[in-house]
Amino acid sequence: MQLRELTGVMNPVAVHGSDLVEVSALVCDSRQVTPGSVFFAIPGGKTDGRSYINQARAAGAAAVVSSSFAGEFADADCCFVEVDNVRLAMAKAAAHYYGYPGTGIPVIGVTGTNGKTTITYLIEAILNKAGYTPAVFGTVTYRLGNSRCHEATHTTPESLELMRILAEFRRDGADALIMEVSSHALEQHRVDGLAYSLAVFTNLTQDHLDYHAGLEEYFVCKSRLFTDLLGSGTAVINADDSYGRRLLSSLPKALSFGQDSTCTLYPQRISVGRDGIHGAFTGLHGDVAIDSAMIGDFNLSNLLAAVAVAQQLNVSNEDIAAAIRSAPQVPGRLERVENTGGVLALVDYAHTPDALEQVLKTLTNLDQRHLYSVVGCGGDRDPGKRPLMAAAAVKYSDLAIFTSDNPRTEDPLAILAQIRAGAVAAGSCELDPDAVTPDARGFVVIPDRRSAINFAAGLCGSGDLLLVAGKGHEDYQILGTKKIHFDDREELGRALAQAGEAERSGRQTYV
């Protein structure tokens, strides 16, 4: 492909040099430049791509795309393409270079603070049942069934990676695309090369305020999926959420889902308990029987979103019901950890105040003796949510165990100090771990995550409920800049087995 084809879709301010050159690759990392590459010099962030233009030229780049032109970079060997927005130009170029792989198939985007992963898994299960072969991009993996899978570098990949992998999946038979669409991706134009058929809004609560200036800016970024990228597609919006209702007021043709019977899709005869969610949904295409092993009122909302999408795609109600009955466990989303001690042990990705509150609130409605939670907050992320998460944990747990999550480059003890302050401000009392008994109420602080999980497991007996929150499907912990293997599900399973063995041998494990 000649560079001129790409400059034609990038809407350049100016082209300095000849664009009648062959292009061999598109890259935004100067270390990946090979002869014939187009290098997109992305400004801002932790590094500025413009600082690596000389490296890209030295490695044989055929062209550099940048938002600021420096005359000394223009020469006969390297064309300089000047654009207003490098990320937007990159998204358009990527779509064209890889042959517009999102064309001719249903493209479904799911955005919001919570629920995105669960909804995409549910839609995937339904479309599989209906005979589709969907590609899925999200927090856990980028995958095509069981045959092709890439590690997820971001919830929504950069446009170059997105288009390259999607083109690969299309060649392998993908006939639908389901995506989690993050606010970062929308603000950074990562998905601007796609035309969405359906866009789902789940909810909006505090998150990513280390990146966004406030909730309003966060909401505006999320709204781009509906205002800028949906076109003639259909919006599917949660009417139970206040921000969802704002969107609905500006999108008169949108479909709605929620508890109220005025919604396009709403529940009836629903029971939510320890054994799952059962009943029926009523929508534009009639009633859908719901028998799901998923737990919690928030999962009722996730099910509503998935069913609304499926009905809009004209999937039969029978296929929808069958898919929900047999849908696989969503990794790290209230994922059960089996044990022989009669404990309902769950691992969940809840890492925002609202997500943690919704999970714990719904768990309090289940039959249990004690509710224990293990909670931490990630480092180098919005510190404002730490006291809020602490308050939610102590409000709904009999005993909250605060520990490290992914501290990254922050001091874990400093993070825990903020969490401790939030718990105390909420009226809870800190306890000495050495003096805690299973009936204790309040919170303890155990900085080491493995020790915290072991401590919680040692407290549990038959009929108790234990939630380990924050990391979900992640199989690593980030300490400083190093990533070590750490899987909450593995750790919790091992801790419960050890606690059960200790109980059988008569040893007390919680002191």
Side-chain angles (χ1 to χ4, degrees):
M1 177 181 294
Q2 278 198 336
L3 177 61
R4 176 160 292 185
E5 284 191 54
L6 299 180
T7 56
V9 300
M10 286 192 284
N11 299 319
V13 173
V15 177
H16 306 275
S18 173
D19 59 2
L20 297 175
V21 294
E22 290 296 319
V23 172
S24 62
L26 307 183
V27 301
C28 58
D29 184 335
S30 61
R31 295 167 296 183
Q32 297 174 354
V33 172
T34 55
S37 296
V38 175
F39 172 61
F40 292 87
I42 298 173
K46 293 182 179 179
T47 59
D48 190 331
R50 291 170 295 190
S51 301
Y52 299 94
I53 290 176
N54 277 332
Q55 286 180 226
R57 291 172 65 239
V64 169
V65 181
S66 178
S67 56
S68 56
F69 173 61
E72 66 269 20
F73 292 135
D75 58 36
D77 298 323
C78 185
C79 180
F80 196 99
V81 183
E82 187 180 356
V83 296
D84 286 326
N85 187 310
V86 178
R87 285 188 178 275
L88 179 58
M90 185 168 73
K92 292 179 176 180
H96 187 81
Y97 185 79
Y98 289 105
Y100 296 97
T103 302
I105 60 173
V107 178
I108 304 153
V110 183
T111 198
T113 305
N114 304 314
K116 298 186 295 296
T117 299
T118 298
I119 292 169
T120 58
Y121 267 79
L122 287 168
I123 296 172
E124 179 186 25
I126 294 169
L127 292 190
N128 279 328
K129 183 66 178 177
Y132 284 88
T133 305
V136 184
F137 287 74
T139 306
V140 180
T141 57
Y142 312 146
R143 63 190 180 276
L144 178 64
N146 296 320
S147 62
R148 302 301 298 271
C149 185
H150 295 262
E151 180 183 357
T153 53
H154 300 81
T155 295
T156 313
E158 287 285 2
S159 57
L160 298 182
E161 186 180 17
L162 169 62
M163 291 299 172
R164 175 180 59 79
I165 296 175
L166 180 55
E168 170 192 315
F169 287 168
R170 286 299 305 272
R171 288 193 298 270
D172 290 341
D175 55 11
L177 171 60
I178 309 163
M179 294 184 64
E180 296 182 51
V181 186
S182 69
S183 60
H184 293 64
L186 289 162
E187 195 273 336
Q188 295 174 3
H189 300 282
R190 296 182 203 166
V191 294
D192 279 46
L194 292 170
Y196 286 90
S197 314
L198 287 153
V200 180
F201 183 84
T202 66
N203 49 61
L204 190 129
T205 60
Q206 182 172 336
D207 198 14
H208 302 304
L209 297 191
D210 55 316
Y211 181 81
H212 300 293
L215 276 174
E216 189 62 25
E217 180 183 295
Y218 182 33
F219 174 64
V220 170
C221 283
K222 292 287 191 186
S223 301
R224 278 204 71 235
L225 181 60
F226 305 88
T227 58
D228 296 358
L229 302 177
L230 187 56
S232 60
T234 302
V236 179
I237 297 174
N238 180 7
D240 293 334
D241 180 79
S242 60
Y243 286 95
R245 290 191 292 275
R246 278 182 61 181
L247 270 179
L248 282 167
S249 67
S250 64
L251 300 169
K253 295 182 180 180
L255 304 182
S256 61
F257 63 90
Q259 297 288 338
D260 197 280
S261 60
T262 59
C263 293
T264 312
L265 185 78
Y266 61 92
Q268 59 173 325
R269 304 188 308 276
I270 286 289
S271 65
V272 181
R274 197 178 183 116
D275 67 336
I277 299 171
H278 308 284
F281 294 164
T282 295
L284 288 176
H285 301 300
D287 292 353
V288 180
I290 301 296
D291 287 292
S292 170
M294 301 171 76
I295 299 172
D297 292 329
F298 56 91
N299 274 324
L300 176 61
S301 181
N302 293 335
L303 284 163
L304 282 164
V307 172
V309 167
Q311 285 200 330
Q312 186 64 17
L313 290 173
N314 294 313
V315 179
S316 73
N317 291 339
E318 291 74 21
D319 280 347
I320 296 172
I324 288 173
R325 266 196 313 274
S326 59
Q329 167 70 57
V330 181
R333 272 61 179 178
L334 279 187
E335 185 172 353
R336 298 175 191 247
V337 175
E338 298 302 324
N339 63 92
T340 59
V343 180
L344 179 53
L346 302 166
V347 169
D348 193 78
Y349 192 53
H351 59 283
T352 68
D354 181 70
L356 184 61
E357 177 157 1
Q358 293 303 319
V359 169
L360 287 170
K361 185 178 180 180
T362 202
L363 295 182
T364 61
N365 295 324
L366 304 182
D367 185 26
Q368 69 215 328
R369 290 196 318 159
H370 307 104
L371 172 54
Y372 303 116
S373 63
V374 177
V375 176
C377 294
D380 300 336
R381 298 293 187 268
D382 175 16
K385 66 184 183 183
R386 294 168 187 169
L388 301 178
M389 291 182 66
V394 298
K395 178 179 180 180
Y396 293 102
S397 308
D398 293 311
L399 182 73
I401 299 102
F402 296 127
T403 189
S404 296
D405 189 287
N406 291 320
R408 300 183 178 87
T409 62
E410 280 195 72
D411 178 359
L413 297 182
I415 296 172
L416 284 166
Q418 293 175 305
I419 295 173
R420 178 187 282 109
V424 171
S428 188
C429 179
E430 183 172 4
L431 306 175
D432 180 354
D434 291 334
V436 164
T437 66
D439 293 323
R441 295 188 64 88
F443 72 92
V444 299
V445 177
I446 302 175
D448 179 73
R449 192 171 184 89
R450 178 174 289 113
S451 298
I453 292 173
N454 288 340
F455 178 85
L459 288 169
C460 289
S462 181
D464 288 338
L465 196 158
L466 170 57
L467 172 72
V468 178
K471 289 172 53 57
H473 65 281
E474 294 176 351
D475 61 359
Y476 58 83
Q477 190 174 25
I478 304 173
L479 308 175
T481 57
K482 294 182 64 175
K483 185 182 285 189
I484 65 168
H485 180 77
F486 194 101
D487 189 318
D488 282 352
R489 297 161 295 186
E490 294 175 5
E491 297 294 335
L492 183 53
R494 182 163 47 244
L496 288 167
Q498 291 173 348
E501 180 59 33
E503 183 178 2
R504 286 189 291 274
S505 65
R507 298 195 307 273
Q508 194 176 35
T509 60
Y510 52 84
V511 294

